[in-house]
């Protein structure tokens, strides 16, 4: 999905990983305890996709207000922008452990507020709290795991956190489906997140602070005691000296102590290597969001309903396919990103994404064109007062079909024909009593988001193919590129700037998706995302170099000289090194 990514892990690293945690289970306990933050990150960003269906049914203000639905979804993203920015300062000021504990308190508070919400306004406040926790967890959990684990298994352990993010999103879909028949549906869906947060809070109370942070705070004895639990006795002194040298080198790279953020930003922008690195880093992060991935992750069941599956539980069940394939794609990326390179995977991924989005657009257009007609007799069968006012007053009602009915103002619903969903049906006022009456009649189905369509199952399959195209390339490679492309002194600034651009792009997409579908239709919206994806592909081709296999100095040299693109990767040092082996 999304914001956090997964690092690549070689077969050697995986072998060493299993050997190390077998000898020192404490390391895995530490990583998994911190990694619950990744699970919560994935769960709280994914759970709203299903919960929104039932929130919409419970509150008329949500049902009738597209902007309110978008706000409920996107406020967690807005909170994450603030949480990520604040989390960086808190990590340095108070430590990684306290930052994770605070994120857990925000998760629990947000879950309680949402589960007990008497109205949409409290759900929005709860989503902001959860978003703050997500923003802090997105940067603190992998940082803590990285700093509190042995170097030889660090990549595998940080990848575990990335997998937990993806797994948390998949779990949210499973939980959503499990509570479809339970009274209070969405309250349980949103409230469940409080339990793993509480578990992590209790576990973290018994875990140590990051040894790196302690050493930076001159608490060397405490740092040594923690390293003694992580490393064999004969390696502890070597690790202490390595930690000392690393921190001294980092301080030397940081520049003047009194250099403020804006001075550092100005210096970074004046450095041609950093500036070109930012062009590449921000390009891949913004492109990652503007391919529309989080419209699928946040609104997947709604999109499935657009495709013609009216039932909430059916929409949630089919959405499990997209979430499950996201996990599969993430694992594929871990296995192949170091073999084939970041740039090549992103370009191939973008080609697949564009094709899927164009075909999805065609599918939605065909579904709208072949939507069942609206019948006078079927509509007036429910009484004149029940028939959609716009249909009654229409100058040419014979031209109306299901999509015309659903797009009417005020919004109307389509009750399908009892003999066949694809035969002419009734266009009715949106009303719970009418909905119940429609369902009570033999084989009738109530549609409010999409129309009966023979193309529906193909649309779901294309969504799955879209995810498989996205996850191995654009899903993870942008985060890997941003971890490699900046000089050490500006790595925090560059990575942070690119991450904020990702969250802001995410916010724009999630806050506008439903509005776009109302203005352009589903077909037009996915075609728009295909256009954005094409622009992203062009930008990646021209400004993003391959970083696979390059040392920091070699990457700086490529950026200093100015990147000259070829079809898949630069014919430069990365390939020369590989061919020389």
């Amino acid at each position: 999905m999304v914001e956090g990514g997964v690092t690549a892990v070689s077969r050697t690293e995986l072998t060493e990983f299993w050997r190390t945690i077998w000898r020192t289970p404490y390391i895995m306990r530490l990583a998994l305890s911190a990694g619950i933050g990744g699970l919560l990150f994935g769960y709280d960003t994914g759970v709203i996709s299903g919960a929104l269906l039932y929130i919409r049914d419970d509150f008329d203000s949500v049902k009738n207000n597209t902007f309110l639905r978008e706000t409920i979804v996107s406020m967690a993203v807005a909170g994450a922008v603030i949480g990520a920015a604040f989390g960086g300062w808190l990590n340095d000021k108070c430590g990684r452990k306290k930052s994770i504990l605070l994120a857990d308190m925000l998760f629990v508070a947000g879950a309680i507020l949402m589960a007990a919400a008497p109205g949409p306004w409290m759900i929005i406040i709860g989503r902001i709290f959860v978003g703050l926790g997500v923003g802090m967890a997105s940067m603190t959990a992998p940082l803590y795991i990285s700093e509190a684990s042995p170097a030889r298994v660090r990549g595998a352990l940080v990848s575990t956190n990335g997998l937990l993010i993806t797994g948390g999103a998949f779990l949210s879909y499973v939980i959503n489906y499990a509570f479809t028949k339970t009274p209070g549906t969405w309250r349980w869906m949103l409230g469940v997140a409080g339990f793993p947060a509480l578990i992590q809070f209790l576990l973290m109370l018994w875990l140590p602070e990051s040894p790196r942070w302690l050493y930076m705070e001159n608490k060397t004895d405490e740092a040594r005691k923690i390293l003694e639990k992580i490393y064999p006795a004969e390696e502890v002194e070597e690790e202490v000296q390595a930690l000392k040298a690393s921190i001294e080198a980092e301080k030397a790279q940081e520049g003047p102590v009194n250099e403020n953020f804006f001075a550092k930003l100005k210096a970074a922008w004046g450095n041609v290597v950093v500036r070109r690195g930012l062009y590449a880093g921000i390009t891949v992060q913004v492109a990652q969001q503007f391919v529309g991935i989080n419209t699928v992750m946040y609104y997947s069941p709604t999109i499935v309903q657009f495709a013609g599956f009216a039932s909430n539980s059916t929409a949630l069940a089919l959405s499990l396919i997209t979430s499950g394939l996201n996990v599969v794609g993430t694992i594929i990326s871990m296995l192949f990103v170091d073999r084939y390179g970041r740039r090549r995977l992103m370009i191939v991924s973008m080609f697949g994404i564009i094709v899927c989005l164009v075909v999805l657009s065609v599918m939605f257009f065909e579904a709208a064109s072949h939507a069942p007609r609206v019948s006078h007799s079927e509509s007036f069968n429910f009484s004149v007062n029940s028939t959609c006012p716009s249909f009654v007053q229409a100058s040419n009602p014979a031209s109306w079909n299901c999509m015309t009915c659903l797009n009417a103002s005020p919004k109307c619903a389509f009750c399908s024909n009892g003999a066949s969903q694809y035969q002419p049906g009734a266009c009715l006022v949106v009303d719970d009593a009418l909905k119940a009456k429609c369902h009570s009649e033999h084989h009738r189905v109530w549609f409010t988001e999409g129309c009966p369509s023979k193309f529906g199952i193909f649309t779901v399959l294309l969504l799955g193919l879209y995810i498989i195209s996205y996850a191995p390339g654009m899903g993870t490679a942008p985060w890997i590129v941003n971890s490699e492309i900046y000089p050490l002194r500006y790595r925090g600034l560059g990575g942070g700037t690119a991450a904020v651009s990702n969250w802001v792009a995410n916010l724009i997409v999630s806050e506008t998706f439903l509005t776009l579908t109302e203005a352009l239709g589903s077909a037009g919206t996915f075609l728009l995302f295909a256009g954005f994806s094409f622009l992203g592909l062009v930008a990646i081709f021209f400004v993003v170099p391959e970083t696979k296999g390059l040392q920091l100095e070699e990457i700086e040299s490529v950026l200093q000289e100015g990147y000259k693109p070829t079809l898949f990767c630069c014919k430069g040092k990365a390939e020369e090194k590989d061919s020389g082996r």
Side-chain angles (χ1 to χ4, degrees):
M1 142 178 125
V2 284
E3 311 71 15
V6 181
T7 56
V9 183
S10 68
R11 187 176 300 174
T12 304
E13 284 179 305
L14 285 173
T15 303
E16 186 62 32
F17 167 73
W18 290 114
R19 184 184 298 126
T20 301
I21 65 168
W22 180 259
R23 288 200 309 258
T24 318
Y26 173 82
I27 296 170
M28 182 52 102
R29 181 163 67 88
L30 181 149
L32 286 179
S33 298
I36 294 175
L39 185 78
L40 287 165
F41 176 180
Y43 184 90
D44 279 308
T45 51
V47 70
I48 197 62
S49 63
L52 187 65
L53 302 181
Y54 296 92
I55 294 170
R56 183 187 67 199
D57 289 346
D58 277 6
F59 299 108
D60 287 339
S61 58
V62 177
K63 183 187 300 182
N64 300 323
N65 190 325
T66 298
F67 179 74
L68 186 55
R69 275 183 279 163
E70 290 172 329
T71 301
I72 288 171
V73 170
S74 60
M75 278 304 98
V77 182
V81 174
I82 300 169
F86 175 69
W89 172 83
L90 192 69
N91 272 321
D92 289 339
K93 186 73 175 176
C94 302
R96 300 15 170 170
K97 178 178 175 178
K98 289 179 181 177
S99 298
I100 291 175
L101 291 173
L102 179 58
D104 286 330
M105 288 190 281
L106 289 167
F107 279 128
V108 172
I112 292 171
L113 283 170
M114 290 186 292
W121 61 272
M122 188 177 282
I123 298 175
I124 290 171
I125 294 173
R127 290 285 290 166
I128 293 171
F129 271 67
V130 163
L132 290 168
V134 164
M136 293 175 64
S138 69
M139 61 182 307
T140 307
L143 184 63
Y144 179 86
I145 294 169
S146 174
E147 293 181 349
S149 56
R152 59 181 174 273
V153 296
R154 187 170 297 144
L157 286 174
V158 174
S159 290
T160 301
N161 179 72
L163 276 176
L164 283 169
I165 294 173
T166 312
F170 179 73
L171 178 64
S172 72
Y173 282 76
V174 174
I175 295 293
N176 281 346
Y177 186 70
F179 283 116
T180 53
K181 304 297 183 184
T182 306
T185 49
W186 60 270
R187 297 184 187 276
W188 285 103
M189 294 172 182
L190 298 174
V192 159
F195 293 104
L198 185 60
I199 291 169
Q200 184 183 45
F201 184 88
L202 295 173
L203 288 172
M204 288 302 300
L205 289 175
W206 299 99
L207 287 174
E209 180 54 84
S210 154
R212 183 178 183 84
W213 184 82
L214 289 171
Y215 207 98
M216 290 176 71
E217 295 295 306
N218 296 317
K219 298 178 181 180
T220 53
D221 291 340
E222 291 181 50
R224 175 182 282 273
K225 287 178 183 177
I226 296 164
L227 291 173
E228 287 171 354
K229 292 182 179 181
I230 297 172
Y231 291 93
E234 64 274 13
E235 296 180 17
V236 172
E237 185 58 37
E238 181 184 346
E239 290 302 322
V240 170
Q241 294 305 316
L243 183 59
K244 179 182 178 182
S246 172
I247 290 171
E248 288 176 353
E250 187 175 299
K251 287 180 177 178
Q253 288 282 345
E254 283 178 354
V257 175
N258 60 351
E259 185 180 36
N260 61 37
F261 172 80
F262 294 104
K264 194 169 185 177
L265 184 63
K266 183 179 179 181
W269 195 251
N271 184 314
V272 67
V273 171
V274 181
R275 186 168 66 250
R276 287 172 177 166
L278 281 170
Y279 290 157
I282 292 174
T283 292
V284 295
Q285 294 287 32
V286 172
Q288 184 191 63
Q289 292 303 320
F290 274 89
V291 301
I293 181 58
N294 277 327
T295 63
V296 176
M297 300 311 296
Y298 296 154
Y299 297 104
S300 184
T302 302
I303 295 171
V304 171
Q305 289 188 332
F306 289 163
F309 297 92
S311 164
N312 286 349
S313 57
T314 302
L316 283 169
L318 290 172
S319 297
L320 278 167
I321 297 172
T322 59
S323 186
L325 288 173
N326 191 33
V327 177
V328 173
T330 302
I331 295 171
I332 292 172
S333 176
M334 289 172 60
L335 297 175
F336 292 105
V337 73
D338 270 335
R339 182 178 301 177
Y340 296 110
R342 295 81 164 109
R343 185 172 187 268
R344 178 177 295 182
L345 278 181
M346 283 191 289
I347 289 175
V348 171
S349 178
M350 287 296 263
F351 273 113
I353 287 167
I354 292 167
V355 170
C356 288
L357 287 171
V358 170
V359 179
L360 270 171
S361 177
V362 172
M363 285 289 181
F364 277 114
F365 178 79
E366 288 296 315
S369 301
H370 294 86
R373 314 300 298 179
V374 174
S375 162
H376 268 90
S377 58
E378 286 283 317
S379 300
F380 290 114
N381 178 54
F382 287 84
S383 82
V384 176
N385 293 334
S386 301
T387 304
C388 176
S390 299
F391 177 68
V392 174
Q393 298 164 12
S395 58
N396 186 18
S399 67
W400 276 49
N401 65 13
C402 172
M403 288 306 299
T404 319
C405 174
L406 299 188
N407 292 329
S409 182
K411 188 175 176 66
C412 295
F414 183 80
C415 181
S416 68
N417 191 297
S420 169
Q421 288 188 9
Y422 309 115
Q423 292 185 14
C427 186
L428 305 173
V429 174
V430 176
D431 179 81
D432 289 340
L434 279 174
K435 178 181 178 181
K437 186 177 180 182
C438 175
H439 281 303
S440 69
E441 297 191 14
H442 187 62
H443 289 163
R444 286 187 182 270
V445 180
W446 183 263
F447 291 86
T448 56
E449 299 297 330
C451 293
S453 171
K454 295 178 181 178
F455 299 96
I457 191 63
F458 298 108
T459 302
V460 173
L461 292 174
L462 271 167
L463 280 174
L465 188 58
Y466 165 84
I467 292 291
I468 281 292
S469 298
Y470 166 85
M474 289 306 297
T476 55
W479 297 97
I480 298 173
V481 168
N482 272 281
S483 72
E484 298 171 330
I485 205 164
Y486 306 108
L488 182 60
R489 180 185 174 190
Y490 296 105
R491 186 162 294 173
L493 178 67
T497 302
V500 169
S501 71
N502 183 290
W503 282 112
V504 172
N506 185 343
L507 178 61
I508 292 169
V509 170
S510 59
E511 183 64 52
T512 58
F513 175 66
L514 295 179
T515 300
L516 286 172
T517 59
E518 288 187 353
L520 305 176
S522 300
T525 302
F526 282 102
L527 192 60
L528 179 66
F529 283 129
F532 287 146
S533 300
F534 176 75
L535 293 176
L537 172 62
V538 172
I540 289 170
F541 180 80
F542 282 106
V543 304
V544 182
E546 180 58 76
T547 58
K548 182 195 81 166
L550 296 181
Q551 297 296 327
L552 179 60
E553 295 77 13
E554 294 171 319
I555 294 172
E556 288 188 28
S557 176
V558 170
L559 294 173
Q560 183 72 50
E561 293 169 6
Y563 177 62
K564 298 176 180 62
T566 55
L567 183 58
F568 279 124
C569 64
C570 53
K571 185 69 177 175
K573 297 177 182 177
E575 285 191 334
E576 289 169 9
K577 288 171 71 176
D578 287 342
S579 61
R581 286 171 183 166

